[in-house]
Amino acid sequence: MKILVCISNVPDTTTKITFTDNNTQFNTAGVQFILNPYDEIALARAIELTDGGNGSVTVINVGEINTEPTIRKALAIGATDAVRVNAKPHDAWFVAYQIAQYVKANPCDLVLTGRESIDYNGSKVAAMLGELLDIPSVSIIKKLDINGSKVTVEREIEGGKEVLEMPLPIVAGCAEGVAEPKIPNMRGIMSARTKPLVVIEPAEVKTFSEVLSYETPAPRGQVKLVPADDVAKLVTLLHEEARVI
Amino acid sequence: MPVLVYTENADGKFKKSTFEVVSYARAIADQNNTSLTAISIGNVSKDDLNLLGKYGAEKVLNVSNDKLKNFVNQAYASVIAEAAKKEGADVVVLSNSFSGRGLAPRIGVKLEAGVADGVVSLPEQAGGKFIVKKTAFSGKAFARVELTSAKKVISLIPNSYKVVETNTAAKLEDFNADIKQSDLTSIIKEIVRSTDKVSLPDADIVVSGGRGLKGPENWGMVEELADLLGAALACSKPVSDAGWRPHSEHVGQTGIAVSPNLYIAIGISGAIQHLAGVSSSKVIVVINKDAEAPFFKVADYGIVGDAFEVVPKLISAIKEYKASA
Ligand SMILES: Cc1cc2nc3c(=O)[nH]c(=O)nc-3n(C[C@H](O)[C@H](O)[C@H](O)COP(=O)(O)OP(=O)(O)OC[C@H]3O[C@@H](n4cnc5c(N)ncnc54)[C@H](O)[C@@H]3O)c2cc1C
Ligand SMILES: Nc1ncnc2c1ncn2[C@@H]1O[C@H](COP(=O)(O)O)[C@@H](O)[C@H]1O
């Protein structure tokens, strides 16, 4: 079983998001970058599925050279090899297009992504990739099992869940529940240095979207504290002032 | 440029978020002096289809193919893209629901359209541009994004646009799309939906509990409060990690992002990752025994106190308020 895991390099979840250049650029000063938390889950499941030499796990990232520490981390966790498409990830369409080109040249049985990347996130790459490859895509999955040439996934729906069976290959966007993230051990960290990391140049493609600027949510006013022995006052405020009940 | 809106249903019924997207798509059509067509897929009754007119659809394309009774991502995307081509639609609008998020990117690729997900307001269209405001950095920021393609696909965050009644008379039309066999390879084995519960992403009011509640056995009062308010339940990440509550209730940067009218946080400290997923709530109420808890800094109303005393009092106060209303 050959599995491809798409990984993105994102600001650590504790990052306070700020912008520079007149709010047109994300301020990366002092920001630590990590492997996208959902991609960690996808990677962990891929490693479980190929455990004991039952196939290989390739990780792919569309990014510039600064993403290599994150790629090495994925190798340390247990990926077999890695590919970096040497380009700034302009938007989801650009990323999906590059990965689709790679998959067309290097077919695999299963493509895993995270449900979304926590930076410019849009949970779009998985479905775009599915469409570009003309195979099924399913996202926000909480379980994934393979039986022969079929895959069974559980996906989240409003107020419940849905279980689907699909023929391989598919693209699946992983969320919590699919696997527990794995922490690299010493041997993994040592071997990661020598595992293959191939750099390829991007294919040319038109883009359809441009980020013009960013803004952060408007700050709220001062909190209105209600004394703990006058809870009824809160109900009155929610009804008469906030008008939400 | 006509606008096409996909009107999602759950078990044959439209949800509030569906009427929101129709209202929103109507407003985009008005911005461009054009018409609005809705497309519905699945077994929705004529009466319910006619409801779409109430919110501004002039035409409703109804696809009631047995093979499409349940949601199949690939096939639905093909049908919606085909409808967009037939109608000559330049803008396709969907809800940023779980299904909508799976559909929008596929439709975008089929139509060679730019896709904007998680949109929160009407597009700016001055000077022939098409600029949308969408969530970014998992709720910590917004981005203004220009879609530069001729066609556009956008998905709207639930609770971010008000339902508006226009009372247009909708013309119903059957739409028979060709469906490729290769679009129908996914088989639905099981759908589990707890219909008695308010679904979290669509909820008007969310009651959320954190580690301050000590254990799953203490959720009774949280559930009672939620039931009283017709609210959905949510929790912080450690609560679902510990198995006190299901993962599907976990909100925040790595969970579900919600934007209800009212978010009530009980025993939650307000870590940056938690706030990311809830900060676009219109009104935030925090109940925490620690006056220094960071959540109070982003709250509209707060009670500093022990949840085990405050919540039961809140429940009786709401009961009293309801009895007198
Ligand atoms: C990669 C990553 C991603 C994350 N993503 C998320 C996410 O998406 N969502 C999320 O929620 N967290 C997330 N977290 C975790 C986050 O950092 C916090 O640890 C978490 O939100 C804390 O949960 P909590 O507020 O319930 O618990 P705590 O931080 O333990 O806070 C408990 C609060 O309850 C109060 N309290 C205690 N007893 C009482 C009482 N009797 N009455 C009233 N109040 C009481 C305390 O004063 C305290 O403020 C993430 C962390 C990481 C590292
Ligand atoms: N630059 C990238 N390189 C490789 N994979 C990516 C990249 N960006 C996003 N992905 C993958 O696509 C998933 C969804 O991302 P997004 O559509 O950006 O929310 C992520 O969880 C990754 O698995």
Side-chain angles (χ1 to χ4, degrees):
Chain A
M1 156 127 333
K2 268 180 79 136
I3 305 180
L4 183 70
V5 180
C6 306
I7 58 169
S8 57
N9 181 51
V10 298
D12 173 33
T13 58
T14 56
T15 308
K16 191 163 181 305
I17 303 292
T18 58
F19 303 99
T20 61
D21 297 0
N22 223 348
N23 285 331
T24 58
Q25 301 292 325
F26 170 49
N27 183 4
T28 55
V31 172
Q32 195 187 341
F33 280 82
I34 58 165
L35 177 56
N36 188 37
Y38 299 114
D39 306 353
E40 274 189 335
I41 295 172
L43 177 59
R45 187 66 188 131
I47 292 167
E48 286 170 7
L49 289 169
T50 54
D51 211 13
N54 176 29
S56 63
V57 178
T58 302
V59 288
I60 186 166
N61 169 258
V62 180
E64 293 171 305
I65 190 152
N66 59 327
T67 68
E68 289 201 356
T70 292
I71 300 176
R72 289 283 173 208
K73 165 131 192 240
L75 290 170
I77 290 170
T80 319
D81 56 3
V83 177
R84 180 169 67 83
V85 181
N86 186 26
K88 208 172 148 134
H90 180 82
D91 61 11
W93 161 249
F94 180 87
V95 169
Y97 189 87
Q98 301 305 333
I99 297 175
Q101 294 305 107
Y102 175 82
V103 177
K104 283 178 187 164
N106 305 273
C108 56
D109 302 297
L110 176 65
V111 181
L112 295 183
T113 74
R115 63 173 270 187
E116 68 187 46
S117 56
I118 63 165
D119 51 2
Y120 308 96
N121 62 294
S123 53
K124 289 187 294 226
V125 169
M128 284 184 171
L129 201 45
E131 187 61 36
L132 286 165
L133 298 170
D134 201 15
I135 58 175
S137 58
V138 58
S139 198
I140 320 200
I141 63 164
K142 306 150 81 61
K143 242 183 180 168
L144 181 145
D145 287 301
I146 307 249
N147 12 51
S149 62
K150 292 204 171 85
V151 49
T152 308
V153 299
E154 194 177 298
R155 86 168 173 111
E156 182 144 352
I157 57 175
E158 280 78 5
K161 63 170 189 183
E162 183 178 278
V163 181
L164 292 157
E165 187 182 84
M166 325 165 110
L168 289 170
I170 68 159
V171 185
C174 303
E176 274 154 336
V178 168
E180 282 303 318
K182 289 191 192 319
I183 295 157
N185 57 26
M186 210 48 204
R187 203 158 51 113
I189 295 167
M190 299 303 287
S191 66
R193 293 192 196 142
T194 53
K195 283 182 179 171
L197 192 173
V198 179
V199 179
I200 57 178
E201 289 306 314
E204 220 170 290
V205 56
K206 266 199 299 220
T207 56
F208 298 137
S209 76
E210 297 297 333
V211 173
L212 303 181
S213 62
Y214 294 99
E215 40 190 274
T216 40
R220 282 171 205 267
Q222 182 76 14
V223 60
K224 241 186 211 175
L225 289 179
V226 175
D229 54 12
D230 191 11
V231 175
K233 169 119 183 278
L234 176 66
V235 178
T236 310
L237 285 168
L238 291 178
H239 177 63
E240 287 173 6
E241 188 178 83
R243 297 171 184 277
V244 285
I245 60 170
Chain B
M1 53 185 224
V3 175
L4 181 73
V5 59
Y6 167 59
T7 53
E8 183 178 333
N9 70 78
D11 297 330
K13 288 283 169 206
F14 293 129
K15 304 180 295 182
K16 194 185 98 206
S17 57
T18 303
F19 301 133
E20 286 169 4
V21 282
V22 177
S23 300
Y24 176 81
R26 174 74 256 165
I28 297 182
D30 288 344
Q31 280 184 333
N32 296 289
N33 279 321
T34 184
S35 60
L36 175 65
T37 302
I39 178 165
S40 166
I41 310 176
N43 286 343
V44 180
S45 73
K46 264 216 163 84
D47 283 348
D48 282 337
L49 290 170
N50 277 321
L51 269 182
L52 299 173
K54 194 167 152 193
Y55 304 103
E58 284 145 296
K59 194 201 287 186
V60 177
L61 301 177
N62 181 32
V63 186
S64 58
N65 180 323
D66 262 355
K67 291 181 187 148
L68 300 178
K69 248 197 301 208
N70 288 313
F71 178 75
V72 198
N73 193 15
Q74 267 172 300
Y76 275 41
S78 294
V79 171
I80 297 166
E82 210 179 300
K85 285 182 190 154
K86 177 183 162 270
E87 295 290 305
D90 290 334
V91 180
V92 179
V93 179
L94 302 91
S95 165
N96 197 67
S97 61
F98 291 116
S99 299
R101 268 182 274 179
L103 283 172
R106 293 197 83 118
I107 297 169
V109 172
K110 283 178 196 287
L111 298 177
E112 293 188 29
V115 183
D117 58 284
V119 170
V120 294
S121 55
L122 280 175
E124 304 164 41
Q125 296 196 57
K129 294 199 167 178
F130 193 97
I131 299 166
V132 290
K133 181 173 164 182
K134 55 155 288 188
T135 59
F137 295 94
S138 32
K140 290 181 181 173
F142 297 101
R144 277 178 70 243
V145 178
E146 179 178 357
L147 296 181
T148 51
S149 49
K151 294 191 167 36
K152 289 104 184 162
V153 176
I154 56 184
S155 66
L156 178 74
I157 296 251
N159 279 331
S160 57
Y161 196 81
K162 278 218 158 51
V163 171
V164 184
E165 293 190 14
T166 61
N167 292 322
T168 313
K171 194 167 86 193
L172 297 192
E173 224 174 76
D174 284 325
F175 182 64
N176 287 315
D178 277 335
I179 301 153
K180 287 188 297 176
Q181 203 44 46
S182 62
D183 273 352
L184 289 167
T185 56
S186 304
I187 299 162
I188 297 173
K189 290 282 184 189
E190 194 187 353
I191 298 179
V192 186
R193 215 193 285 269
S194 41
T195 41
D196 57 324
K197 293 249 157 51
V198 184
S199 112
L200 180 55
D202 304 321
D204 275 333
I205 303 181
V206 173
V207 175
S208 189
R211 202 146 55 177
L213 287 167
K214 308 285 186 283
E217 66 281 5
N218 296 327
W219 245 260
M221 61 180 189
V222 182
E223 280 175 4
E224 190 180 353
L225 179 60
D227 280 349
L228 266 177
L229 293 169
L233 286 171
C235 67
S236 66
K237 179 169 151 62
V239 164
S240 61
D241 283 347
W244 298 358
R245 300 298 304 172
H247 273 310
S248 53
E249 288 179 10
H250 152 204
V251 292
Q253 183 167 14
T254 52
I256 292 178
V258 293
S259 44
N261 284 329
L262 174 60
Y263 183 80
I264 303 181
I266 306 168
I268 304 177
S269 57
I272 188 166
Q273 298 99 340
H274 186 86
L275 298 182
V278 306
S279 60
S280 55
S281 307
K282 305 224 166 50
V283 174
I284 294 180
V285 173
V286 169
I287 300 170
N288 195 306
K289 70 173 184 190
D290 175 9
E292 302 298 315
F295 221 142
F296 284 117
K297 294 207 171 64
V298 296
D300 300 287
Y301 300 98
I303 296 182
V304 179
D306 186 337
F308 296 99
E309 286 163 25
V310 173
V311 174
K313 280 191 199 158
L314 185 55
I315 288 171
S316 10
I318 292 172
K319 282 186 181 157
E320 264 170 49
Y321 152 74
K322 283 196 153 182
S324 68

